[in-house]
C-alpha cells in the first residue's frame, strides 16, 4: 500500500512568487492534515480536512496560505505571495480513526520550501 | 498554553547501549501521547500511541511509559543499533478539537560504533 506522498520534495522560490504544494493521502483516509516545521522549531499544525471540508484551520498563519481538497482526495497548499518567513518543511499526514478512538497519523516525507 | 518539552536535546551513545528520552507536557485536556521517529529527510513515523489509561507500551526495542498524573513520558531504547540514529519526537493530542497534535522539538539521537 502506498504511503502519503508529497510533491515537490524541494522548492526554491523568490519572495513574492507563488508556490503550490501537493499531498496525496493514503487511499481511503478521510482525514488530511498539513503541518509546518520552520528551522529550529517544533512541527506545528496548520489545518485539518475531513474529506473535502476544513475541520480546523486555526493553525494557518495568514491569508497568504490557501488549502484545498477538492473531491476529498488529494490536497494542495498554496502560498501567495511567499515571504521569507514561509521557509520550512511542510508535512502532510492522513489518518482514519483507530480502535480506541485515537487517530494514528501517517506522515509524508515533506516538502522543503526555501524562499529567497 | 499547550506545550511539549523534551530532553535531552541531543544524545550520542554507543551501539548496543540503552538510552531513555524524556517528555513533559502541559497539553490539556489530554487525549493521547505519541512517540514518533523521524529519519533525516523523511516524515515522522509512529512508534507508540498511549491513551490516558495506559502507562506502558512496547514496540520491539522501544518501550514508552506514561504518567498522566505528573504529565511525563519516557521512551526507552534497548540494545541500540546504528539505524536508531534519528530524531525522536514526543507528540500529545488534546481532546475537544478534532485531532490537534502538539509536537515537541525532538531529541536527536546518534548511535555510534
Amino acid at each position: 500500500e502506498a504511503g502519503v506522498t508529497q510533491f515537490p520534495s524541494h522548492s526554491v522560490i523568490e519572495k513574492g512568487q507563488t508556490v503550490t504544494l501537493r499531498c496525496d493521502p493514503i487511499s481511503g483516509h478521510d482525514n488530511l492534515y498539513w503541518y509546518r516545521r520552520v528551522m529550529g522549531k517544533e512541527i506545528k499544525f496548520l489545518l485539518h480536512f475531513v474529506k473535502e471540508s476544513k475541520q480546523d484551520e486555526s493553525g494557518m498563519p495568514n491569508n497568504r496560505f490557501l488549502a484545498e481538497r477538492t473531491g476529498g482526495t488529494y490536497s494542495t497548499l498554496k502560498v501567495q505571495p511567499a515571504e521569507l518567513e514561509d521557509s520550512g518543511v511542510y508535512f502532510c499526514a492522513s489518518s482514519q480513526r483507530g480502535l480506541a478512538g485515537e487517530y494514528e497519523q501517517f506522515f509524508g516525507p515533506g516538502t522543503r520550501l526555501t524562499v529567497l | 498554553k499547550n506545550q511539549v518539552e523534551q530532553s535531552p536535546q541531543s544524545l550520542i551513545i554507543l551501539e548496543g547501549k540503552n538510552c531513555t528520552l524524556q517528555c513533559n507536557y502541559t497539553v490539556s485536556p489530554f487525549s493521547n501521547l505519541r512517540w514518533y521517529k523521524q529519519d533525516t529527510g523523511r516524515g515522522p513515523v509512529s512508534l507508540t500511541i498511549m491513551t490516558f489509561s495506559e502507562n506502558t507500551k512496547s514496540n520491539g526495542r522501544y518501550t514508552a511509559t506514561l504518567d498522566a498524573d505528573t504529565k511525563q513520558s519516557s521512551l526507552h531504547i534497548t540494545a541500540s543499533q546504528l539505524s536508531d540514529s534519528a530524531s525522536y519526537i514526543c507528540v500529545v493530542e488534546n481532546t475537544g478539537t478534532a485531532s490537534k497534535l502538539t509536537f515537541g522539538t525532538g531529541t536527536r539521537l546518534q548511535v555510534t560504533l
Side-chain angles (χ1 to χ4, degrees), chain A residues 33 35 37 40-45 48 55-56 58 91 100 102-105 107-109, chain B residues 32 34 36 38 41-44 46 49 51 89 93 97-101 103-106:
Chain A
Y33 313 83
Y35 297 91
R37 183 172 198 164
K41 301 284 189 179
E42 69 274 20
I43 297 172
K44 286 193 174 179
F45 168 84
H48 170 206
Q55 178 77 16
D56 181 354
S58 60
F91 292 103
E102 75 284 5
Y103 294 80
E104 178 171 359
Q105 296 190 20
F107 283 78
Chain B
N32 59 75
R34 308 150 185 244
Y36 282 87
Q38 185 176 17
R42 295 182 177 272
S46 179
I49 301 178
T51 58
I89 305 173
E93 179 180 5
T97 304
S99 194
K100 180 172 284 185
L101 304 183
F103 290 74
T105 54

